[in-house]
Amino acid sequence: MNERDALRTLAADLPHAGDDAAVVGDTVITTDMLHERTDFPVGTTRYTAGWRAVAASLSDVAAMGADATAAVAVYADASFDGNDLDRFVAGAVDVCEAVDAEYVGGDLDTHTEFTTASTAIGDVTDEGVVTRSGASPGDALCVTGEWGRSAAALRLFERGRDDEAGAGERGREGGKRGRDIERANDLFRFTPRVADGLVLAGRATAMMDSSDGLARSLHQLAEASDVGFALDRDAVPVHPAVEALADDPGERFELTAHFGEDFELVCAIPEPKLDRARAACPGGLTRVGTVADTADGVTADGDSLPDRGYTHGS
Amino acid sequence: MNERDALRTLAADLPHAGDDAAVVGDTVITTDMLHERTDFPVGTTRYTAGWRAVAASLSDVAAMGADATAAVAVYADASFDGNDLDRFVAGAVDVCEAVDAEYVGGDLDTHTEFTTASTAIGDVTDEGVVTRSGASPGDALCVTGEWGRSAAALRLFERGRDDEAGAGERGREGGKRGRDIERANDLFRFTPRVADGLVLAGRATAMMDSSDGLARSLHQLAEASDVGFALDRDAVPVHPAVEALADDPGERFELTAHFGEDFELVCAIPEPKLDRARAACPGGLTRVGTVADTADGVTADGDSLPDRGYTHGS
């Protein structure tokens, strides 16, 4: 059973599952696990790990249009280094402060692999939550921020590693490696779109965050709302770091639309509400297409957009 | 740095850390990681694992005297077996129902080791929360339930394993092994003392759950409240499963007071409130001693009670 089938099983069992966060009364709650092998490339600092782990959960609160209030996290490692733990907590505290929430602690555990599990909660506002299921044909398809940030970070982490491997021969590579890794860490510490989510609550008809990439997010929104999407490829805002790393337009689209883990918001907004929403979103809101009929499917510039993540070498 | 020092570091950084759960407005929140190597002995079913993982967090909500409302959990394993996942979710759903809360989903992840991270939230009642720091000399020292349940479970898991190892020689051991393992799973699925915690809110002056064992809990309460404790060893209610497994009184006290993971509540209650509290606690409330002055330290029958967990072979 793959992860998607497993999630379907869960959704069938749990009426509240299947959205970015669960709603319990006036509270939303969401939890995520990140661990070294799959989520923290070599070079990721503990400060960045703390920030990113908690940010992933805060992003899910944002995707519901709820007001993030607090987060907790489990920190598990083979041994407890006081400095590592301090830095992790500092990252968690700082990302919470960045979205006006509070980091209130968590749990410690020993584990063979550095592993984190973060949980965020938020208050449902008077506008109510925004689920994945309310988009209507004709609504504008919009995204926050700029795309490809995590893809660029991964490339810089890799380049930093390669530089290190070759440093003995070439010399003077340490500074360059350090800059790549530092830049990669910066890119990895995204700001969860809580403020934008609050603007979009009451305006967006459907919303989710883009943890699995733009293409997959569109397919998931399409399924939940029973609609199609017509994406305009050139309208997707590309992060400057991707511009610098990928010349080829095809590769650039791979990194921005398929790579994932950008944690931007993807939403549908009725045309009359678009201008106000655009003016009020602090992270920037860009129209990238239009909600279509179910029969039209999910397309990019008229061609079917595959429901897949990043493919290496394409 | 050991886990206790690491927790001190965290407590210094985070004003809300250091109690069983953090308080955020009218909500309490707490998170715990459990994983195969350290928390789920061979023979633990996925149903039991789901129950116990979520129960550990619900117990922390109970220890604050708050009303548990919901829980989420991360399920991480090397691969996703649909039956395993179904059973885990069923256990999580059932333990939430047992305390009138709701299991609202979670996250899936792949991991080298079966790992869970659960988070529970609860509402602060009009009585406010009960922290670890309000006990006064003269208060009655009380505990819920019966003690040694998890210690007995561990012994039964071990016995089941030993029987299996010798089954080829001795024959007809399969049924006995099965019964040991089944009984161990039953014992592992404790009921979080949420209902008792609600009774104790407004009555107990200090409270925590006993995840680290009675002895350690008393030392932690003593430090937080700046008091001592005079424990009456014979008053500690012993679970029948321990009675059946340990004849020697010294061994029995090891299993009930030092072993830990019983997730019962330990609290201080002013004498005038004791009878009502005792009558109202559905899990049973037993007086096991008295809060003493700081200078008297933590004692059991007049002797100093060491601040330690279970010691094998003692």
Side-chain angles (χ1 to χ4, degrees):
Chain A
M1 178 180 266
N2 64 26
E3 184 164 344
R4 197 179 291 199
D5 289 340
L7 284 169
R8 288 227 172 85
T9 301
L10 277 186
D13 286 352
L14 303 168
H16 290 284
D19 227 301
D20 292 72
V23 183
V24 183
D26 292 332
T27 301
V28 301
I29 180 167
T30 174
T31 191
D32 300 275
M33 179 174 284
L34 301 181
H35 51 108
E36 191 146 37
R37 190 173 45 86
T38 52
D39 302 292
F40 301 124
V42 174
T44 308
T45 66
R46 282 293 193 268
Y47 178 80
T48 297
W51 176 295
R52 191 167 173 87
V54 171
S57 294
L58 291 169
S59 176
D60 283 328
V61 171
M64 303 298 290
D67 192 7
T69 52
V72 291
V74 181
Y75 177 100
D77 207 348
S79 65
F80 296 119
D81 177 306
N83 285 332
D84 279 353
L85 180 59
D86 273 351
R87 287 183 196 121
F88 179 89
V89 170
V93 166
D94 286 354
V95 72
C96 282
E97 274 180 13
V99 299
D100 214 11
E102 194 179 4
Y103 182 69
V104 294
D107 187 27
L108 293 173
D109 200 1
T110 52
H111 208 298
T112 45
E113 187 184 342
F114 171 51
T115 301
T116 69
S118 71
T119 302
I121 54 175
D123 291 337
V124 177
T125 72
D126 293 342
E127 304 291 347
V129 294
V130 187
T131 68
R132 296 181 178 182
S133 61
S136 296
D139 288 351
L141 170 64
C142 298
V143 299
T144 58
E146 293 170 322
W147 291 62
R149 193 181 166 109
S150 287
L154 263 286
R155 294 227 162 163
L156 288 169
F157 278 124
E158 278 167 23
R159 204 164 77 177
R161 253 195 327 269
D162 294 346
D163 288 346
E164 187 177 44
E169 296 163 40
R170 296 198 300 271
R172 292 213 329 154
E173 290 288 337
K176 192 178 148 209
R177 174 185 182 263
R179 282 194 302 277
D180 280 346
I181 296 287
E182 195 178 318
R183 179 77 180 123
N185 274 282
D186 285 348
L187 288 167
F188 240 32
R189 293 194 303 271
F190 66 92
T191 301
R193 298 301 185 193
V194 175
D196 307 82
L198 289 171
V199 166
L200 294 165
R203 292 190 170 110
T205 52
M207 184 155 66
M208 67 182 294
D209 83 345
S210 68
S211 31
D212 294 332
L214 179 57
R216 284 209 160 143
S217 298
L218 291 180
H219 280 276
Q220 288 168 53
L221 275 179
E223 188 179 335
S225 287
D226 194 15
V227 295
F229 287 103
L231 177 71
D232 172 5
R233 285 168 66 127
D234 290 341
V236 179
V238 180
H239 194 282
V242 171
E243 301 272 7
L245 288 164
D247 291 334
D248 176 69
E251 185 187 7
R252 204 176 280 173
F253 189 70
E254 275 294 313
L255 298 181
T256 52
H258 290 289
F259 191 90
E261 303 199 0
D262 276 326
F263 299 97
E264 295 292 346
L265 301 179
V266 184
C267 64
I269 305 178
E271 293 258 10
K273 296 185 174 178
L274 189 55
D275 286 346
R276 284 222 168 171
R278 209 147 38 184
C281 272
L285 188 74
T286 306
R287 180 174 189 165
V288 296
T290 302
V291 181
D293 288 321
T294 317
D296 297 328
V298 178
T299 57
D301 296 352
D303 297 326
S304 176
L305 179 68
D307 180 11
R308 64 162 175 81
Y310 180 63
T311 307
H312 278 275
S314 66
Chain B
M1 176 180 266
N2 64 27
E3 184 164 343
R4 197 179 292 199
D5 289 340
L7 283 169
R8 288 225 173 86
T9 301
L10 277 187
D13 286 351
L14 302 169
H16 290 283
D19 227 301
D20 291 74
V23 184
V24 183
D26 292 331
T27 301
V28 301
I29 180 167
T30 174
T31 190
D32 299 275
M33 179 175 284
L34 301 181
H35 52 107
E36 190 144 39
R37 190 172 44 85
T38 53
D39 301 293
F40 301 125
V42 174
T44 308
T45 66
R46 282 293 194 268
Y47 178 79
T48 297
W51 177 294
R52 191 169 172 87
V54 171
S57 295
L58 292 169
S59 176
D60 284 328
V61 171
M64 303 299 288
D67 193 6
T69 53
V72 292
V74 180
Y75 177 100
D77 207 347
S79 65
F80 296 119
D81 176 308
N83 285 332
D84 279 355
L85 180 59
D86 273 350
R87 287 183 196 122
F88 179 89
V89 169
V93 166
D94 286 353
V95 72
C96 283
E97 273 181 14
V99 300
D100 214 11
E102 194 179 3
Y103 181 69
V104 294
D107 187 27
L108 293 173
D109 200 1
T110 52
H111 208 298
T112 45
E113 188 185 341
F114 171 51
T115 301
T116 69
S118 71
T119 303
I121 55 174
D123 290 338
V124 178
T125 72
D126 293 343
E127 304 291 347
V129 295
V130 188
T131 68
R132 297 181 178 182
S133 61
S136 296
D139 287 351
L141 170 64
C142 298
V143 299
T144 57
E146 293 170 322
W147 290 63
R149 192 182 168 107
S150 286
L154 262 286
R155 292 225 164 166
L156 288 170
F157 278 124
E158 279 168 23
R159 206 164 76 176
R161 251 194 330 269
D162 293 346
D163 288 346
E164 187 177 42
E169 295 164 39
R170 296 197 301 271
R172 290 208 334 149
E173 291 287 338
K176 193 177 148 210
R177 174 184 182 265
R179 282 194 302 279
D180 280 345
I181 296 287
E182 195 178 320
R183 178 79 179 120
N185 274 283
D186 285 347
L187 289 167
F188 240 32
R189 293 194 303 269
F190 67 92
T191 301
R193 298 302 184 191
V194 175
D196 307 82
L198 289 170
V199 167
L200 294 165
R203 292 189 170 111
T205 51
M207 184 154 67
M208 67 183 293
D209 82 345
S210 70
S211 31
D212 294 333
L214 180 56
R216 284 208 161 144
S217 298
L218 291 180
H219 280 276
Q220 288 169 53
L221 275 180
E223 187 178 335
S225 286
D226 194 14
V227 295
F229 287 104
L231 177 72
D232 172 5
R233 286 168 65 127
D234 290 340
V236 179
V238 180
H239 194 281
V242 172
E243 300 272 8
L245 287 166
D247 292 334
D248 177 69
E251 186 188 6
R252 205 175 279 172
F253 189 71
E254 276 293 313
L255 298 181
T256 52
H258 290 290
F259 191 89
E261 303 198 2
D262 276 326
F263 299 97
E264 295 292 346
L265 300 180
V266 184
C267 63
I269 305 177
E271 294 258 10
K273 296 185 174 176
L274 189 54
D275 285 346
R276 285 222 167 171
R278 209 145 40 182
C281 271
L285 188 73
T286 306
R287 180 174 188 163
V288 296
T290 302
V291 181
D293 287 321
T294 317
D296 297 327
V298 178
T299 58
D301 296 353
D303 298 326
S304 174
L305 179 69
D307 181 9
R308 64 162 175 79
Y310 180 62
T311 308
H312 277 275
S314 65

